[in-house]
């Protein structure tokens, strides 16, 4: 409701203070002082402001600053000009809000009500600390080594590509540049046995966006989705935030137990899976399980989201073929990323889609952030076309294998009496498990206090009996830093053991069930229990792909 309120005012006596050399310009200081006086009703409606010349003289500033302030107040409706008379506070001001008695229920001075976050917004907020956490200390997972040869090649590529091409100055296709999609299709066909054409490729802001858009376009709130137990926390949280019903499916040495998934939720809408290098156990999905999964998905019309996050780094034999290459029913969405093969700062990934999904992803990308950045796409396309990516990956495999061996040797030397270490045949991290009962969350917190990042394994479990252990990333760190960090980590384990924190104990203020859903009907779980983000004293979440 708007009403007119006439008051007597003393605008000439208004105390406008300014600070020479302050953070705000003189014009802003004058404008804010007068605006605040009007809003707080210290200046009444119809009060006449001092002339610009008089106020400038009083404040010892240029008249231009005062004129700019008055013009801003006039444009925003706080004051009005009267020809031949001066500038006045507007005589039509918003009336004070009258609270609804049914809401206040007898309170004369109700507390102001702030708009509330949605359930998804509250979940996102709990991950703010994890998003801001440092990822450049051992043993943070997902870090990339800076290869000097590739960096110099990258610089030359940048100079060569420059701002060439019309895409540098205009909106481009939301699903990515054709040249890059063609290079990705050729690379995936040769390196990962992915069966695709360039028209099936969508370029995205990392694998995490590929998973996010898959959830938006393929899954409705309330739909059941299989997830690996244990599994990747970030995707579990994204599914929970979207209102999906999370169905934990156990993982063993052959990967996801498909029959257990069918028993728990035979008509699930989708499954999220890491078949070539299961996260965090490192197991590889057997061919029998792969065929069982594809048969179930084809028969029921379920989607399979295949996250192939680090299969390029295999140290024994050739990289394993992707699940997508076996798909004959058009049910697999294959997700990959350049964050691991090049560096995370690019924020570029991709998805390989059945052709009938491309338009849905194109529309979603258009509404979310319009299109990928042209310059990065042009550089990567050139980098791949000239064969630089292949040689870059060969060098990194050698470097990461050497780093893995250094870490394994250091763990066995300094912690051999405390843990069992699993030597991975691929990837960028390894797992260690405690021989005696000890809380991995407590160890992770103690390690953080010593300047070391170690990711607890147990929070990745939902229903399966959790193993107490740590994930240690070795990519991105030199031998000296890895050895020093192992010594600190060994001290953290012994510190926790001495404190008596067993496997069922956690430090005060920490939470083990990050993203753990509550059990729902018929064996299907509903992601209704609040997730807890990482804190300096708690468990850190996985890096986004």
């Amino acid at each position: 409701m708007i009403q007119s309120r006439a008051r007597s005012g003393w605008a000439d006596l208004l105390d406008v203070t300014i600070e020479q050399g302050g953070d705000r310009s003189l014009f802003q200081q004058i404008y804010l002082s007068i605006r605040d006086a009007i809003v707080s009703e210290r200046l009444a409606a119809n009060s006449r402001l001092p002339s610009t010349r008089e106020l400038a003289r009083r404040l010892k500033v240029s008249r231009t600053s005062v004129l700019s302030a008055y013009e801003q107040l006039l444009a925003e409706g706080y004051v009005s000009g009267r020809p031949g008379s001066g500038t006045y506070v507007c005589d039509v001001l918003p009336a004070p809000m009258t609270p609804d008695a049914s809401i206040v229920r007898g309170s004369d001075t109700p507390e102001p009500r702030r708009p509330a976050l949605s359930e998804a917004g509250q979940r996102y907020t709990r991950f703010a600390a994890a998003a801001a956490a440092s990822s450049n200390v051992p043993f943070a997972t997902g870090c990339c080594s800076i290869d000097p040869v590739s960096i110099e090649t990258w610089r030359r590529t940048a100079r060569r590509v420059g701002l060439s091409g019309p895409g540098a100055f205009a909106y481009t296709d939301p699903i990515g540049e054709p040249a890059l999609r063609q290079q990705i299709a050729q690379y995936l066909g040769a390196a990962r046995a992915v069966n695709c054409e360039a028209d099936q490729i969508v370029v995205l802001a990392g694998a995490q966006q590929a998973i996010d858009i898959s959830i938006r376009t393929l899954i409705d709130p309330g739909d059941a989705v299989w997830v690996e137990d244990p599994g990747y926390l970030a995707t579990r949280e994204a599914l929970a935030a979207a209102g999906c019903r999370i169905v934990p499916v156990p993982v063993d040495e052959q990967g996801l137990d498909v029959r257990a998934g069918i028993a728990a939720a035979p008509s699930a809408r989708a499954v999220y899976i890491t078949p070539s290098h299961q996260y965090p156990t490192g197991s590889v999905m057997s061919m029998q399980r792969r065929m069982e999964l594809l048969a179930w998905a084809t028969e029921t019309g379920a989607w399979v989201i295949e996250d192939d996050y680090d299969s390029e780094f295999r140290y024994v034999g050739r990289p394993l073929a992707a699940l997508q290459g076996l798909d004959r029913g058009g049910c697999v969405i294959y997700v990959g990323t350049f964050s691991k093969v090049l560096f995370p700062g690019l924020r570029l990934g991709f998805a390989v889609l059945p052709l009938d999904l491309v338009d849905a992803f194109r529309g979603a990308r258009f509404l979310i952030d319009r299109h990928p950045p042209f310059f990065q796409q042009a550089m990567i396309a050139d980098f791949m076309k000239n064969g630089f990516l292949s040689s870059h990956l060969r060098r990194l495999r050698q470097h990461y294998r050497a780093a893995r061996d250094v870490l394994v040797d250091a763990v066995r030397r300094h912690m051999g009496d405390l843990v069992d270490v699993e030597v991975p045949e691929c990837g960028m991290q390894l797992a260690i498990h405690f021989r005696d009962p000890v809380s991995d969350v407590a160890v992770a917190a103690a390690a953080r206090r010593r300047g070391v990042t170690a990711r607890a394994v147990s929070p990745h479990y939902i229903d399966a009996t959790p193993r107490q252990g740590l994930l240690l990333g070795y990519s991105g760190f030199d031998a000296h830093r890895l050895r020093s960090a192992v010594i600190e980590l060994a001290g953290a384990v012994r510190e926790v053991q001495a404190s008596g924190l067993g496997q069922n104990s956690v430090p005060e203020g920490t939470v083990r069930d990050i993203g753990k859903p509550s059990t729902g009907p018929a064996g299907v779980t509903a992601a209704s229990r609040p997730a807890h983000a990482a804190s300096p004293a708690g468990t850190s979440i996985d890096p986004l792909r």
Side-chain angles (χ1 to χ4, degrees):
M1 176 179 178
I2 304 297
Q3 68 182 24
S4 175
R5 293 175 292 180
R7 304 178 180 89
S8 61
W10 301 89
D12 284 337
L13 301 180
L14 177 64
D15 183 20
V16 177
T17 59
I18 61 171
E19 178 185 353
Q20 295 285 352
D23 293 337
R24 290 193 173 101
S25 66
L26 296 177
F27 136 72
Q28 288 179 312
Q29 294 181 59
I30 297 167
Y31 156 74
L32 291 172
S33 291
I34 299 175
R35 188 198 68 176
D36 291 347
I38 294 172
V39 171
S40 65
E41 301 185 1
R42 289 184 287 118
L43 275 182
N46 293 314
S47 297
R48 183 181 182 278
L49 298 184
S51 69
T52 56
R53 195 180 305 278
E54 168 62 21
L55 188 55
R57 183 192 62 78
R58 185 194 310 173
L59 298 177
K60 298 179 180 179
V61 299
S62 72
R63 188 180 175 213
T64 301
S65 297
V66 180
L67 278 170
S68 297
Y70 276 32
E71 288 171 356
Q72 186 71 23
L73 292 165
L74 181 66
E76 294 181 3
Y78 291 105
V79 301
S80 60
R82 299 179 187 176
S85 178
T87 304
Y88 292 79
V89 177
C90 286
D91 59 357
V92 178
L93 298 174
M97 292 182 62
T98 302
D100 188 329
S102 65
I103 298 176
V104 178
R105 300 193 184 282
S107 174
D108 293 333
T109 56
E111 290 292 328
R113 297 189 63 182
R114 292 279 298 162
L117 286 171
S118 67
E119 289 186 12
Q122 295 174 42
R123 185 176 292 271
Y124 297 148
T125 300
R126 288 189 286 267
F127 284 94
S134 172
S135 61
N136 61 353
V137 297
F139 302 97
T141 57
C143 294
C144 296
S145 293
I146 305 300
D147 177 49
V149 176
S150 294
I151 291 299
E152 181 55 36
T153 303
W154 190 257
R155 290 194 181 102
R156 292 198 303 269
T157 301
R159 290 193 293 268
R160 182 169 55 254
V161 172
L163 293 176
S164 61
F169 305 101
Y171 293 114
T172 60
D173 193 332
I175 67 171
E177 286 299 300
L180 177 56
R181 290 188 281 121
Q182 184 65 47
Q183 290 299 320
I184 293 173
Q186 293 175 5
Y187 166 72
L188 292 177
R192 303 293 299 113
V194 170
N195 183 23
C196 69
E197 301 293 337
D199 290 344
Q200 296 174 251
I201 306 289
V202 177
V203 180
L204 298 153
Q208 195 68 23
Q209 188 180 56
I211 294 168
D212 177 66
I213 294 181
S214 297
I215 294 171
R216 293 172 187 246
T217 57
L218 307 178
I219 306 170
D220 291 318
D223 283 347
V225 180
W226 294 3
V227 297
E228 296 167 319
D229 185 13
Y232 183 48
L233 288 174
T235 295
R236 187 197 306 173
E237 287 301 319
L239 288 164
C244 302
R245 291 188 295 150
I246 295 175
V247 182
V249 181
V251 171
D252 58 25
E253 64 277 0
Q254 296 186 60
L256 183 88
D257 187 339
V258 179
R259 295 181 183 180
I262 295 173
S267 58
R269 178 65 171 167
V271 53
Y272 169 79
I273 190 169
T274 54
S276 296
H277 186 211
Q278 202 280 326
Y279 192 91
T281 68
S283 65
V284 176
M285 194 174 193
S286 67
M287 182 57 66
Q288 179 181 345
R289 294 267 180 93
R290 293 178 184 230
M291 301 309 296
E292 288 176 352
L293 179 66
L294 291 173
W296 165 78
T298 301
E299 180 181 346
T300 62
W303 296 106
V304 178
I305 303 173
E306 178 183 8
D307 187 354
D308 195 25
Y309 62 97
D310 68 355
S311 292
E312 289 84 0
F313 302 115
R314 187 165 185 83
Y315 313 120
V316 179
R318 293 179 56 82
L320 302 178
L323 178 67
Q324 190 271 356
L326 301 172
D327 178 26
R328 298 296 178 266
C331 59
V332 176
I333 293 89
Y334 176 90
V335 175
T337 180
F338 289 110
S339 293
K340 303 295 186 290
V341 299
L342 287 171
F343 43 87
L346 284 172
R347 293 317 306 150
L348 280 181
F350 52 87
V352 179
L353 310 173
L355 277 173
D356 57 356
L357 290 185
V358 172
D359 281 346
F361 272 64
R362 176 182 272 115
R365 186 70 196 267
F366 176 82
L367 291 177
I368 293 170
D369 62 352
R370 190 57 174 84
H371 62 79
F374 171 82
F375 188 47
Q376 287 93 319
Q377 293 185 83
M379 288 182 64
I380 295 176
D382 187 272
F383 195 81
M384 298 177 74
K385 180 180 179 181
N386 287 288
F388 299 136
L389 180 62
S390 297
S391 56
H392 167 79
L393 287 174
R394 282 195 298 271
R395 289 191 297 271
L396 282 192
R397 285 191 197 103
Q398 295 173 0
H399 183 75
Y400 290 169
R401 178 171 182 166
R404 178 203 65 177
D405 293 344
V406 166
L407 179 56
V408 170
D409 177 72
V411 168
R412 287 173 173 167
R413 182 185 302 271
H414 299 286
M415 304 174 61
D417 58 328
L418 304 173
V419 301
D420 293 316
V421 58
E422 299 175 5
V423 183
E425 294 184 348
C426 68
M428 304 165 73
Q429 70 275 329
L430 57 79
I432 60 175
H433 293 97
F434 301 121
R435 293 181 177 178
D436 298 322
V438 63
S439 166
D440 55 5
V441 175
V443 172
R448 189 178 298 274
R449 292 192 295 270
R450 293 168 174 259
V452 175
T453 295
R455 181 158 291 108
V457 171
S458 64
H460 293 78
Y461 289 80
I462 303 176
D463 285 349
T465 302
R467 297 186 69 185
Q468 301 292 317
L470 300 171
L471 284 176
L472 307 181
Y474 48 80
S475 60
F477 307 109
D478 61 33
H480 174 73
R481 294 188 73 189
L482 290 172
R483 293 189 183 102
S484 299
V486 168
I487 294 173
E488 294 297 332
L489 182 61
V493 176
R494 291 187 171 92
E495 173 190 328
V496 172
Q497 285 182 328
S499 69
L501 286 175
Q503 65 179 24
N504 295 319
S505 302
V506 295
E508 184 178 355
T510 63
V511 180
R512 288 179 50 188
D513 58 338
I514 295 181
K516 186 174 182 179
S518 58
T519 303
V524 178
T525 59
S528 59
R529 182 180 302 170
H532 296 268
S535 67
T539 303
S540 58
I541 193 171
D542 314 272
L544 300 187
R545 315 282 199 211

